[in-house]
Amino acid sequence: MKKGKRVLVVGSGGREHALAWALARSAEVEAVYVAPGNGGTSWPPSPEASDLQPRAPARSVPIRSDDIQALIDFVREQGIDLTVVGPEAPLARGIVDAFRAAGLRIFGPSRAAARIETSKAFAKALMRSWGIPTPDYAVFHDFEKARAYLRARPGPVVVKASGLAGGKGAFVCESSEEAEEALYRLMRERIFGEAGETVVIEERLYGSELSLLALSDGRMARPLLPARDHKRLLDGDRGPNTGGMGAYAPVPEVGPDAVDRVVREIMEPVLQALARQGTPFVGVLYAGLMWTERGPFVLEFNARFGDPEAQAILPLLETDLLAALEACVEGRLGDVELRWRPGACVTVVLAAPGYPGSVPEGLPIAGLEEAAAQEGVLIFHAGTRREGDRALTAGGRVLAVSAIGGHLPEAAARAYAAAERIHFEGMHYRRDIGRSSPIL
């Protein structure tokens, strides 16, 4: 007989490990399942859980995140009370619509509402029509017309695949030559397949990047702590874009007034626009922002928790995550107050050799227990798998080392001290996450 609630997290990355960890801390949760999970998403129950040790057990389930019918069958068989969708791909495939049609509770936006992420062209048009600040842009379906546009407007631009590209579909170009090369790779070489059939070319803005995520029940927004992601591969924001090499929260120079402004000028209008279109957004609305001298501009929207932002934000959340997500699903988010642990959290991503390109797999990982034993440290698995008692690499972003501290420098120092205790062949990571914070 069930003693508490059972939760399923869909996905296999560091974000999903962080979600499972946060949900397993809830006093209402009996068990957490992660499908398909990774090498870190199974653990035994811990009745005497410490501050950072989850109480409820977790178990990986060998079901692909895109096998929606198998997930529905599992939820019914196991009596799952709530399913939480981590990555964007299942949202794009309509997992939320399918679960709702089956009478099952699920946290995440419908396929139509998720277009705010799955189609940059759709998102840009929505922002333009509702007066939401975003860089000037043009949308193209034809390579020659896009190239002619670039040649008529030389200078720095950003070229983006309109569809989903795993966080790697944006090319920040200093020159027309770089922009044309990016265009060719997207539309002719089809490096991201169908995602690059439509491209968005937008003006390049300069300022400080900021990630602000907000829970939504379709009507209102409850902002999470502001975070800063580090997309470029190398220190000093150099090198190619990645899925994210690290993050920290909160952002010291982003105070309550700045957060309120983003909610008022960006989050609430977007939610209103989607609701008026008959596609209310229930889930996590993620605004990737550039804060300029003219204020905040939206670079992109995502329809789910960020990765690695989730690994930096969730460790600071004191409110029961399950209660907050259920309030969204039930349309009563106004009843929830989000409370936060004081201090800061820094997350450093440890990547496999060759990332963000092709990477080897099956490399043994050492030092995990020693790293996790450090004060304030959490190790979230991403591209890993288990072979007996051994942890092996199984992807590009292998681990996310998160650390909580009384302030940003302390959190960064703890994260890097823990990262230095972990080893696998060719491991690399940025050394400047949370160590420099540009002033808005």
Side-chain angles (χ1 to χ4, degrees):
M1 190 175 199
K2 286 174 60 176
K3 299 178 181 178
K5 294 182 178 180
R6 296 178 181 177
V7 184
L8 171 66
V9 177
V10 176
S12 62
R15 162 185 50 217
E16 288 73 40
H17 188 174
L19 284 166
W21 169 84
L23 289 163
R25 299 178 71 210
S26 170
E28 294 187 44
V29 171
E30 173 189 284
V32 177
Y33 302 88
V34 191
N38 59 45
T41 52
S42 294
W43 58 79
S46 179
E48 299 180 2
S50 65
D51 185 35
L52 297 180
Q53 176 69 32
R55 182 189 56 81
R59 177 166 68 87
S60 297
V61 179
I63 303 174
R64 298 193 319 271
S65 61
D66 62 353
D67 193 343
I68 295 174
Q69 187 56 53
L71 292 169
I72 288 175
D73 293 342
F74 178 81
V75 165
R76 285 173 168 162
E77 292 166 3
Q78 296 296 323
I80 300 295
D81 296 281
L82 180 69
T83 297
V84 180
V85 185
E88 60 274 22
L91 298 174
R93 293 176 63 89
I95 186 173
V96 171
D97 309 74
F99 268 61
R100 289 176 181 169
L104 302 173
R105 285 158 48 95
I106 186 168
F107 175 82
S110 66
R111 183 175 185 175
R115 284 189 300 164
I116 199 73
E117 173 174 7
T118 61
S119 172
K120 290 183 173 60
F122 168 81
K124 296 291 275 192
L126 188 77
M127 286 186 277
R128 177 173 282 177
S129 64
W130 280 75
I132 296 168
T134 190
D136 193 24
Y137 73 98
V139 176
F140 296 94
H141 310 284
D142 180 82
F143 173 79
E144 294 297 341
K145 290 180 179 179
R147 185 168 65 173
Y149 177 87
L150 287 173
R151 290 181 175 180
R153 295 164 178 80
V157 295
V158 181
V159 180
K160 298 179 176 179
S162 180
L164 296 178
K168 303 173 189 175
F171 295 82
V172 181
C173 306
E174 298 288 349
S175 65
S176 298
E177 291 77 18
E178 285 186 32
E180 284 195 34
E181 181 183 355
L183 192 68
Y184 186 87
R185 296 185 68 196
L186 289 172
M187 302 192 82
R188 287 289 172 83
E189 294 184 348
R190 303 289 294 275
I191 59 172
F192 296 119
E194 293 181 0
E197 286 184 352
T198 299
V199 298
V200 175
I201 300 174
E202 66 181 29
E203 67 172 319
R204 182 177 176 184
L205 298 182
Y206 296 88
S208 299
E209 290 198 43
L210 174 70
S211 301
L212 188 66
L213 288 67
L215 299 180
S216 173
D217 62 0
R219 294 175 297 190
M220 68 175 298
R222 277 275 192 268
L224 307 182
L225 290 178
R228 179 162 285 135
D229 181 20
H230 296 67
K231 282 287 191 187
R232 297 294 190 97
L233 180 67
L234 305 175
D235 289 5
D237 290 327
R238 297 176 296 109
N241 267 345
T242 70
M245 293 300 294
Y248 62 91
V251 181
E253 69 272 17
V254 180
D257 290 344
V259 171
D260 289 345
R261 180 178 177 181
V262 173
V263 171
R264 184 177 64 253
E265 297 181 4
I266 293 170
M267 298 292 198
E268 290 177 347
V270 167
L271 294 176
Q272 184 180 0
L274 291 171
R276 285 198 178 181
Q277 291 187 358
T279 58
F281 186 100
V282 177
V284 176
L285 182 63
Y286 169 130
L289 307 168
M290 180 71 77
W291 205 292
T292 73
E293 294 178 349
R294 294 177 288 162
F297 283 73
V298 179
L299 301 180
E300 65 175 1
F301 280 115
N302 292 328
R304 36 69 188 181
F305 283 98
D307 185 342
E309 290 95 337
Q311 295 94 300
I313 294 171
L314 291 176
L316 297 172
L317 180 66
E318 290 189 334
T319 298
D320 185 308
L321 179 61
L322 177 66
L325 301 189
E326 287 186 322
C328 291
V329 172
E330 296 167 7
R332 51 176 185 81
L333 185 55
D335 296 341
V336 173
E337 177 188 358
L338 297 181
R339 302 181 308 278
W340 301 96
R341 175 198 299 265
C345 183
V346 170
T347 298
V348 178
V349 170
L350 309 185
Y355 181 78
S358 60
V359 300
E361 297 191 359
L363 303 174
I365 305 170
L368 289 173
E369 292 185 3
E370 183 183 354
Q374 305 303 303
E375 183 178 1
V377 169
L378 293 160
I379 308 297
F380 295 119
H381 288 237
T384 71
R385 63 180 174 86
R386 290 283 178 181
E387 190 176 90
D389 293 332
R390 296 198 307 164
L392 306 176
T393 67
R397 291 191 294 171
V398 178
L399 298 162
V401 179
S402 295
I404 297 169
H407 45 71
L408 190 58
E410 181 179 55
R414 287 179 173 178
Y416 280 104
E420 289 171 0
R421 288 168 165 78
I422 299 172
H423 304 281
F424 55 86
E425 183 181 345
M427 183 180 87
H428 63 99
Y429 54 93
R430 282 184 57 160
R431 310 273 176 168
D432 61 348
I433 307 299
R435 290 184 167 174
S436 62
S437 183
I439 302 300
L440 296 179

